[in-house]
Amino acid sequence: MSDDITDIGEDVVGVLAAQIEAHFAMGMDHLKAVVASDPAANPYVTDIVKWHGLLLDAQSALDRAEDDLLAALETQPSEVDDPTMGLAHRVNAAVTARDGRALVVRWLLDPDAPGKTDLAAERLARLRSRTGPAVPTSPARRTAGVPAPAVARAGRALR
């Protein structure tokens, strides 16, 4: 793989890692250890560490896809065959995945990002603070002496 292409990917991951480290004033290894010890302690840090890990995975997949494509191109005559085009599409998909994950990390780091300060963000924050489901997840138990509601009886009669 050419050094220029490799450097771009490493720059994306490296720049974001540096931003995360500056934001929390600690290294990625320490952040990962903090999250591993108690993931529920700070969901914000847990989300950033999780998405940074996904970004690293995506960058590794992109590196492998680029290596496979370059190896195939070295053996190709002037025209590219279908399997090699498939590898090119795999590279494009890997770039998209890596860039998407990088955008998520950037969004998580930006306190003024769209969607973080509006009404929907406030509602989401309230939902996250709940410890259980918003509504019961199982139907209420009926005692033997209580008849079924009229709506339920009417629905059974229609069958």
Side-chain angles (χ1 to χ4, degrees):
M1 178 183 325
S2 82
D3 290 335
D4 293 338
I5 292 173
T6 304
D7 290 344
I8 291 170
E10 290 172 1
D11 287 348
V12 169
V13 174
V15 165
L16 288 173
Q19 288 177 356
I20 293 168
E21 290 172 346
H23 184 79
F24 292 105
M26 64 179 71
M28 285 303 302
D29 290 337
H30 186 73
L31 280 170
K32 289 176 187 177
V34 167
V35 168
S37 69
D38 189 5
N42 189 332
Y44 174 64
V45 175
T46 301
D47 283 347
I48 289 178
V49 169
K50 173 188 127 183
W51 280 97
H52 180 263
L54 293 171
L55 174 62
L56 291 173
D57 293 345
Q59 182 61 50
S60 294
L62 174 57
D63 291 342
R64 286 188 306 274
E66 288 173 335
D67 289 343
D68 293 347
L69 176 60
L70 288 174
L73 288 172
E74 289 174 355
T75 64
Q76 291 292 306
S78 61
E79 289 186 26
V80 176
D81 61 9
D82 288 340
T84 304
M85 282 304 295
L87 291 172
H89 291 302
R90 192 174 115 207
V91 169
N92 284 337
V95 168
T96 301
R98 192 267 324 266
D99 290 351
R101 291 172 182 184
L103 286 172
V104 171
V105 171
R106 289 191 58 153
W107 183 84
L108 288 169
L109 288 171
D110 184 359
D112 299 322
K116 286 189 168 183
T117 57
D118 59 3
L119 183 58
E122 291 175 19
R123 287 180 182 159
L124 180 61
R126 283 195 303 262
L127 287 174
R128 278 190 167 182
S129 65
R130 293 183 180 164
T131 57
V135 295
T137 56
S138 59
R141 293 186 180 188
R142 217 174 297 165
T143 59
V146 178
V151 173
R153 286 191 306 264
R156 277 186 253 140
L158 293 176
R159 290 186 205 172

